[in-house]
Amino acid sequence: MSTFLKLTLLSVIVCWSGVAAAEDVVRGEQGRKIDAYMTRHTKSGFSGVVFAARGGELIISKGYGLADDAKQIPFADDTVFDIGSITKQFTGAAIVKLESQGKLQVTDTIDKYFDIVPADKRQITLHHLLTHSSGLRDAFGDDYEPVSRDEIIKRAMESKLLWAPGTRYRYSNGGYSLLAAIVELVTGNTYDRYLHDALFAPAGMLHTGYQIPELNPDQLAHGYLTDGEDTGTPVDHAWADDGPYWNLRGNGGILSTAEDMFRWHQALNGTEVLPEDAKAKYFAPHVPEGPRAKTHYGYGWVIGTAGDDSTYHWHNGGNGIFFADMSRYLGDDMVLIMASNRKGRSADIPKLAVLNILR
């Protein structure tokens, strides 16, 4: 982590109710415009967080509305929320990290890792799983169904392929669950433990993971339905002892904060977590997202071109209640992180409006 980032984050940390809570940061004309817009949007039902920085300099870092209605706990930039499918970029990073350590290759076929692979799936590679081009369908059950690692592998192997591996793009959460299984089989650790030790801890991400580290309950955002019903925090749902069940593990459900996701952005600008050759593969525009798509899928990231012809990296994620979005614009080293904990049109993340102010 850069000295500047350490000083910046230390300067905004204060003590609040036993939880390390960050003070609001609103800087410059852009920050003030975003804050004014989000304040108005909050009156329509939004609650969540906006975090934007350019060149490492914070523009805005502020929560809006409530993370917990019952306790009247405000949403802040250190509130922990479900990042949904943004999880996939961590799975992708784990795979290229292991490849850089000589422990696997993305060209490996899955029969190197799984015992019983039928003939139609023996040509599926890790690259195919990473780029949603394996031919596997989206999912093999519900997120909270108590499915083990062996069971998710069995279901995937017994499923009918939609088409031959490597021939078409089709988003597959199940494919990323298989990648999480491979991470565990190769490392001998849980997926959660490997990500913490290899990615999160080196990046200084102190509040990111499934169960590591332990979190203060008051730091966890509750999710709310359109009618205001409290669905609880992400950890109130049924999980296995070592993390979520396997329809979710590796493809979604990781918990994080806006601050930690900024730390991740900063880590990806350097080589402390991933070496340059691994990052080049990680962010390469491997597979178009459809026949007429202008964007490509990398390894857990959507890769596109902004209006100024510069590259951007993007992904979002949600479970129908929580929603999160992370965008990195390489042309001006800008990152925008937004999240919400409420379902419904009035609570949608107004990303385009914020982005128009920033750009």
Side-chain angles (χ1 to χ4, degrees):
M1 186 187 303
S2 69
T3 301
F4 171 80
L5 178 56
K6 290 178 180 177
L7 292 174
T8 299
L9 292 173
L10 285 172
S11 69
V12 298
I13 298 296
V14 295
C15 185
W16 170 74
S17 299
V19 181
E23 291 180 335
D24 295 338
V25 175
V26 177
R27 292 179 180 159
E29 182 180 2
Q30 288 182 325
R32 290 189 291 273
K33 285 183 177 181
I34 293 170
D35 184 41
Y37 178 85
M38 293 305 303
T39 299
R40 293 193 299 272
H41 196 62
T42 301
K43 295 177 181 178
S44 300
F46 177 82
S47 61
V49 65
V50 180
F51 193 114
R54 181 180 285 108
E57 296 281 352
L58 292 180
I59 297 169
I60 187 167
S61 173
K62 186 174 178 179
Y64 297 87
L66 296 174
D68 184 337
D69 289 359
K71 292 185 178 180
Q72 291 290 288
I73 297 175
F75 214 112
D77 57 14
D78 65 342
T79 296
V80 175
F81 53 85
D82 185 338
I83 67 170
S85 285
I86 295 176
T87 297
K88 292 178 177 66
Q89 64 190 248
F90 298 129
T91 303
I95 294 294
V96 296
K97 177 98 172 183
L98 289 168
E99 183 177 54
S100 72
Q101 296 169 337
K103 296 181 180 179
L104 55 74
Q105 292 184 310
V106 296
T107 53
D108 291 340
T109 52
I110 60 174
D111 56 358
K112 182 175 179 179
Y113 303 99
F114 305 138
D115 292 335
I116 302 175
V117 178
D120 66 328
K121 298 179 181 69
R122 289 175 192 159
Q123 299 306 309
I124 296 176
T125 64
L126 275 59
H127 172 83
H128 292 145
L129 297 175
L130 287 161
T131 57
H132 299 300
S133 59
S134 65
L136 292 169
R137 67 174 189 254
D138 176 32
F140 302 104
D142 181 77
D143 284 353
Y144 302 111
E145 182 186 0
V147 175
S148 68
R149 187 178 75 190
D150 288 346
E151 176 64 20
I152 200 70
I153 296 169
K154 178 174 179 288
R155 290 184 184 185
M157 295 307 111
E158 291 178 350
S159 69
K160 182 179 179 179
L161 284 183
L162 301 176
W163 40 72
T167 59
R168 294 179 64 180
Y169 172 92
R170 172 68 178 267
Y171 197 85
S172 175
N173 283 296
Y176 267 75
S177 292
L178 294 184
L179 289 166
I182 290 169
V183 169
E184 292 200 350
L185 292 168
V186 168
T187 65
N189 284 319
T190 66
Y191 171 86
D192 198 19
R193 170 55 63 185
Y194 181 75
L195 261 58
H196 177 270
D197 293 350
L199 305 178
F200 301 151
M205 301 165 70
L206 306 179
H207 302 98
T208 300
Y210 284 134
Q211 294 181 314
I212 307 169
E214 294 184 11
L215 299 168
N216 185 319
D218 284 344
Q219 200 172 355
L220 290 161
H222 287 237
Y224 295 93
L225 298 177
T226 305
D227 62 4
E229 179 185 348
D230 186 346
T231 65
T233 74
V235 301
D236 291 331
H237 298 283
W239 278 11
D241 292 339
D242 60 349
Y245 292 112
W246 279 85
N247 276 312
L248 185 61
R249 194 175 310 202
N251 67 68
I254 278 182
L255 310 181
S256 191
T257 69
E259 283 184 346
D260 269 14
M261 295 307 294
F262 179 52
R263 290 182 175 99
W264 179 240
H265 163 73
Q266 291 287 88
L268 292 175
N269 284 341
T271 57
E272 186 175 357
V273 175
L274 294 178
E276 290 294 347
D277 57 343
K279 287 196 299 179
K281 189 172 291 188
Y282 182 54
F283 287 123
H286 292 292
V287 175
E289 290 191 296
R292 300 177 182 176
K294 295 181 180 180
T295 55
H296 290 69
Y297 208 83
Y299 286 174
W301 287 93
V302 175
I303 313 299
T305 302
D308 60 358
D309 292 329
S310 65
T311 299
Y312 67 83
H313 306 151
W314 165 81
H315 216 291
N316 64 17
N319 62 3
I321 300 172
F322 286 93
F323 189 79
D325 189 288
M326 181 176 184
S327 302
R328 307 174 72 236
Y329 294 88
L330 275 60
D332 50 5
D333 187 21
M334 186 180 76
V335 61
L336 173 61
I337 301 157
M338 301 183 70
S340 172
N341 62 330
R342 292 176 194 270
K343 181 178 182 178
R345 187 171 181 180
S346 64
D348 288 345
I349 292 176
K351 176 185 174 181
L352 291 180
V354 173
L355 193 57
N356 283 337
I357 295 172
L358 288 170
R359 295 183 66 83

